[in-house]
Amino acid sequence: MRAARARQTPAPTLLVADAALAAAVLAQCGQKLGEPRYLLAAQRAVTQLSGLPTAQGALTGLPASISPVSPLLAQATCASGAALALAMLSLGRGEGMGDYAAGGLRLLSAALHAFVRPDGLVMHTPEDTAAWFPRVPALCDSELPSPAALLVHALRIAQELRPQGRFDEAIETLWQAAAPYAREHPLECAALIDAVSL
């Protein structure tokens, strides 16, 4: 029966946000369940994702939204940056995983600077006049939790790892900017509402 199945081939592209969120889930499951194999899988995924080419221009260090990078999708997105920061910070909770925590904090800082407007509203893409995509708020869930929700989850872990960092204030700022929209569209913003309610 197995021999009759068509052989699977690797996907031609890698959606960075999806893969990074899967790595974050593996890291959290590995820690909660005491399963080293999940932690190792998360480490391998984060290592591979961290080694991918980064977005073009001034946003060096933030992952591009897709790999291999194409001209259309070479731009950094909040979902990719937030999910990879979340994966790194999730691993960074473990004993002896300080390098992941430090890398996650650096990536989270870069994502906050690139994707959060001065008023606290989280955007899908950075400010870039040459960008292919329009700059729109990143509050609504799709097949993944919203990028704003991923940022809040990453900020919660950052607060746990570095209480003096005042990441809780950043969560409050993000929520104050998003709350009017979330109140009008609670189902579309369910992941964000859940993230700030923890």
Side-chain angles (χ1 to χ4, degrees), residues 1-182:
M1 187 71 144
R2 238 177 228 276
R5 287 190 210 162
R7 187 169 179 86
Q8 288 187 336
T9 57
T13 58
L14 172 69
L15 299 175
V16 174
D18 294 36
L21 187 57
V25 170
L26 284 168
Q28 293 171 14
C29 287
Q31 291 160 354
K32 296 279 185 197
L33 302 174
E35 283 286 345
R37 63 189 169 136
Y38 295 154
L39 290 170
L40 289 172
Q43 288 174 298
R44 283 194 306 270
V46 164
T47 299
Q48 180 183 357
L49 292 168
S50 298
L52 293 175
T54 57
Q56 307 299 316
L59 298 170
T60 303
L62 288 169
S65 58
I66 194 167
S67 183
V69 173
S70 71
L72 181 63
L73 297 168
Q75 187 173 22
T77 62
C78 187
S80 298
L84 186 53
L86 178 60
M88 295 174 87
L89 290 166
S90 295
L91 281 169
R93 286 173 153 166
E95 191 163 326
M97 300 283 198
D99 288 346
Y100 288 107
L105 288 168
R106 281 192 304 274
L107 184 54
L108 178 60
S109 175
L112 290 170
H113 283 93
F115 303 113
V116 179
R117 291 190 332 199
D119 65 357
L121 190 61
V122 178
M123 306 302 281
H124 275 289
T125 55
E127 185 69 46
D128 182 1
T129 56
W132 287 87
F133 301 115
R135 195 160 196 237
V136 296
L139 307 176
C140 298
D141 301 332
S142 59
E143 66 275 2
L144 297 179
S146 71
L150 296 175
L151 277 179
V152 170
H153 284 296
L155 285 163
R156 288 207 180 282
I157 297 173
Q159 179 67 28
E160 175 188 314
L161 294 172
R162 302 270 164 78
Q164 72 279 12
R166 298 169 43 190
F167 297 103
D168 52 345
E169 293 176 18
I171 293 170
E172 183 61 26
T173 300
L174 297 182
W175 174 244
Q176 290 304 318
Y181 186 84

